[in-house]
Amino acid sequence: MLGGKAFHLQGEFLSRCVSRYRPFNKPEVVAVMADTLHKMSSKHLREKLSSWEAKLGSKAPLSDKQRDGCMELTSQSGARPLPIELPLEDFPTIAPQCITPSTSDDRTTRNISGLSLGAEKIETSQQFFAWFSEIEDKMESEEQTESRCFIKQLQVYQEQCTQVQQEVSNALHHLRELQGQYVFVSTKTNALHEACEHLLAEQTKLVNTAESIENKLSYFNELERISSKLGSPTLTVTNEAFVPMLSRLDECITYLHANPQYKESQVYLARFKQCLSKALNLIKTHAVNILQNSTQQVLPKKDAPSPGDNAFTLFYGKFRTNAPRVKALMEQIEERIDKSPEYSQILTDCHQCYFLQRETLLGPSVTAAIADLASKHVRDHCALVRSGCAFMVHVCEDEYQLFFNFFSKPTSLLDNMLEGMCIQLYDVFRPLIIHINHLETLAELCSILKVEMMEEHVQHSPKELAAFEAVCSQMLEDVQERLVYRTHIYIRSEILGYNPAPGDLAYPEKLEMMESIAESIKQTKIQSRSRSGSNASTTSQEVASITGTAEDSIAPEDAPRENGLKPLTVRTDLPVPAPTIGSNMPMSPADLHGMWYPTVRRTLVCLSKLFRCIDKTTFQGLSQEALSMCIQSLLVASEGIKKRKTEVDAQLFLIKHLLILREQIAPFQVDFAVRETGVDFSSIKGAAYGLFQHKSRLFALNTTNALLQFLLEGTPQVTEHFVDSKKDVDNQLKKVCEEFIGHLSDSIVGSMQSFLSKADVILKMNTEEGAHKVSLRQQPFASPEKVHDIVTETYRHVKAKVPTTQKSMSLYLANKDTEYILFKPIKVNIQQSFQHLIKLISDNYSEEDVHIIGCPSVEQLNLLLTKPGS
């Protein structure tokens, strides 16, 4: 019974193993499992099976469903019937119900009944166990037939795999042998390559060394080849191989200079330099021969006629023809001038030869040409300077161009040669300058040298005319120095020292005569055309006409053009007459420059000519001196007119010419203020007097020593002060205008002003406290009759002098705006005096006295003061 249960459990175990490991039913896995089961014993197998169902560490845990199946199999196996062959008497204790097979064990019974016991009969338990073991083995063998077949197949596969593995192992062994052989061959090959590369490197190194040695030796070997070439009688500097030979010679010398450590390098260097000197001497000889031959071809023969005007054409034509033969060689020398001092020396020698030939050729011709110009323009210094400078400009430009036909780099020797030629013109012109006395000539010479030569020629060709510029600047400085000197003399003699003729002081007769002439001319032309109004005072136009040009000669290029009189703005609280723009009036004799005082005309002409000829600083000093002297001459002339005519004429004369000066110096746009330095000796007088007073302290040995005090207190003081001639003109104009206004006011309302002053004193006394009241009309000087006489006299003066004054102002000033501005203070003074008188009369006199006095009203006075047509 137990054996049957074990048999069933073993069969179940195998089926579960097969079913559990079905996913892993690969030949290799099945073969391994079959082999394992074959090696296991029954006891060992039962131990393994018992461990499968252990509660802890179960090797094959069952699910609940599987456990239920096992329990059902266990219950079925417990009710199984006994075998038929088993005798019942051997088991009396077995219940009868157990003998009868149940319907549920039919399948099992059938399986057992199928077992064949054969002829052997089981009588003992030992037989049974043997039989059971046999049956068990048979059943086991029958149940595992398929698995055993599978295991055998797996074993076949295993043998095949083992065979394949053996073949793979053999292949790997062969591959390892092949790899070892490959590594051996590769190592040998690399070693061979390295050896070859080493040999190639050695070969390359040897080749490079050989080439280096050959290259270095080539510089030494060139000596023999170059020496043989230079010694050849057929060698010429124009040969195509000469320049490459010169270049190679430079390379050899440079190399030997850089490598003095080589054996015999100094010897070879010296021999190379000898070859270089020989080659350069060939170039020098070639250039000198060409230059000398060109000079000999151009120089006039002793018996040949002078070439005349074609001389300079020949001088340059022949040289230009031969220039290309020399320039190519000179360019080679100039390119190598930094490589060796021999090149610099040979270039200098060629320059000297060139300039010697040019001086030999041009020197006599230039001297003769300048002498011819000097003899041709003996009396015309301006033409001499203009033509001489123009000639030298052409010579300098031609020589500059010719020089660069032979050479490509400039040299100072060219400027030295040209400057030497220009000095010949300076030597001829210098003696003439110091004897020129006319300012016009000197000013024109300055203009020629400064404008025509320096600005027009030199600035356009500064390189070509550098030598001419130096000589021209020196001539200009000499002319300017002479001009300044002669200007000082001219200012002193012709302006300050001017002695006026009677006709110069014939004012206002000259103006009246010119006005009558102008009126007659105007009447003859009034029907044909009328004079167009001018917005500018014709004074400027007249000054412009006598000083050259209105805009170019007087005013600088950046100065505003003064076409008319600018408004006079003198710094004073009094209104000053000012010529203003906008006056529309016919030509007046006062505007004609012929009517100007000679010193004014000379001053303006002198300044206009100096402005563009000398520098600004010098011009400021001269202009200050000229204006100061001109003002002094005008004051002298004013005194002369005052003596022969009236003070009004003298004042108007002075105002007219000061206005002209002020107007005409405005366009110069320069500062007329100059700083003057002087020495003040005023302290010496007091110090000398103190020394004389304290003779006894001459040798005192203390601080009161008289001699020491004299030295300390008597030292002259250096003083500096600014002199502004433009301010002097303004101040003088202001002073004259104030004097003119005061003088006319006093001459017209002087008696009335005197009466008003006395009356103001009486009225002021009445206002004082404690003073005795005095009636003004009871005073002897203030009676109605006396006041009437004063009013009548003043009114008569107004009627008589105002028109006369206005006519004089119109005659002198010739400008309505200026006349109005100058007359307005006089008119105001007259009006204020009458207004003051009217108020005083109305406050201190009765109506009867007012009628007796008969003072005109303000309206009557204004009507009288108004100029007809103004």
Side-chain angles (χ1 to χ4, degrees), residues 209-387:
T209 304
E211 290 179 355
S212 177
I213 295 173
E214 184 180 0
N215 186 27
K216 294 175 182 178
L217 287 177
S218 64
Y219 294 102
F220 294 88
N221 295 333
E222 286 290 339
L223 178 62
E224 183 178 356
R225 188 178 66 85
I226 293 175
S227 300
S228 62
K229 280 189 176 182
L230 291 175
S232 175
T234 59
L235 178 67
T236 59
V237 295
T238 57
N239 195 321
E240 295 181 356
F242 184 82
V243 174
M245 180 191 69
L246 198 62
S247 301
R248 185 59 179 169
L249 194 57
D250 292 335
E251 294 176 1
C252 295
I253 293 175
T254 304
Y255 183 80
L256 291 177
H257 270 299
N259 299 279
Q261 72 276 9
Y262 293 154
K263 185 178 181 181
E264 298 184 357
S265 60
Q266 298 300 323
V267 177
Y268 276 87
L269 180 61
R271 297 182 64 183
F272 273 123
K273 287 187 176 181
Q274 292 177 359
C275 294
L276 178 62
S277 300
K278 190 173 182 180
L280 294 180
N281 285 330
L282 292 176
I283 296 176
K284 176 182 176 181
T285 304
H286 176 74
V288 169
N289 290 335
I290 290 178
L291 293 173
Q292 290 178 348
N293 292 335
S294 301
T295 304
Q296 294 300 325
Q297 292 175 4
V298 176
L299 279 177
K301 303 298 187 291
K302 294 182 178 180
D303 300 333
S306 176
D309 297 336
N310 296 327
F312 284 95
T313 304
L314 294 174
F315 292 167
Y316 293 99
K318 289 291 185 180
F319 274 79
R320 287 195 179 99
T321 303
N322 296 322
R325 299 165 57 189
V326 177
K327 186 173 184 180
L329 296 173
M330 294 299 106
E331 287 178 348
Q332 296 296 328
I333 294 177
E334 289 170 343
E335 290 176 0
R336 297 170 170 82
I337 195 171
D338 297 329
K339 294 182 178 180
S340 175
E342 286 83 358
Y343 286 106
S344 178
Q345 182 61 40
I346 200 67
L347 182 62
T348 302
D349 294 342
C350 293
H351 282 163
Q352 292 176 351
C353 177
Y354 171 81
F355 292 122
L356 178 62
Q357 299 301 320
R358 295 306 299 172
E359 288 178 357
T360 303
L361 190 61
L362 285 180
S365 300
V366 171
T367 303
I370 294 175
D372 182 60
L373 291 175
S375 61
K376 183 178 180 180
H377 304 286
V378 177
R379 299 182 180 276
D380 191 351
H381 299 113
C382 296
L384 173 60
V385 173
R386 183 178 285 110
S387 58

Side-chain angles (χ1 to χ4, degrees), residues 146-256:
E146 184 179 355
S147 297
R148 291 181 184 278
C149 293
F150 186 69
I151 288 174
K152 290 180 180 180
Q153 187 177 0
L154 290 177
Q155 289 175 351
V156 173
Y157 290 157
Q158 182 180 8
E159 292 176 358
Q160 293 177 354
C161 289
T162 303
Q163 184 177 2
V164 171
Q165 184 179 6
Q166 183 66 29
E167 292 178 357
V168 170
S169 298
N170 294 334
L172 290 176
H173 176 70
H174 291 302
L175 288 175
R176 282 193 293 272
E177 291 180 354
L178 184 61
Q179 183 180 8
Q181 295 174 0
Y182 171 76
V183 170
F184 176 76
V185 173
S186 176
T187 304
K188 293 294 184 179
T189 304
N190 291 335
L192 180 61
H193 288 170
E194 290 177 358
C196 292
E197 290 178 358
H198 180 70
L199 291 176
L200 288 174
E202 290 293 332
Q203 181 183 3
T204 305
K205 182 178 179 180
L206 293 175
V207 170
N208 292 335
T209 304
E211 290 179 355
S212 177
I213 295 173
E214 184 180 0
N215 186 27
K216 294 175 182 178
L217 287 177
S218 64
Y219 294 102
F220 294 88
N221 295 333
E222 286 290 339
L223 178 62
E224 183 178 356
R225 188 178 66 85
I226 293 175
S227 300
S228 62
K229 280 189 176 182
L230 291 175
S232 175
T234 59
L235 178 67
T236 59
V237 295
T238 57
N239 195 321
E240 295 181 356
F242 184 82
V243 174
M245 180 191 69
L246 198 62
S247 301
R248 185 59 179 169
L249 194 57
D250 292 335
E251 294 176 1
C252 295
I253 293 175
T254 304
Y255 183 80
L256 291 177

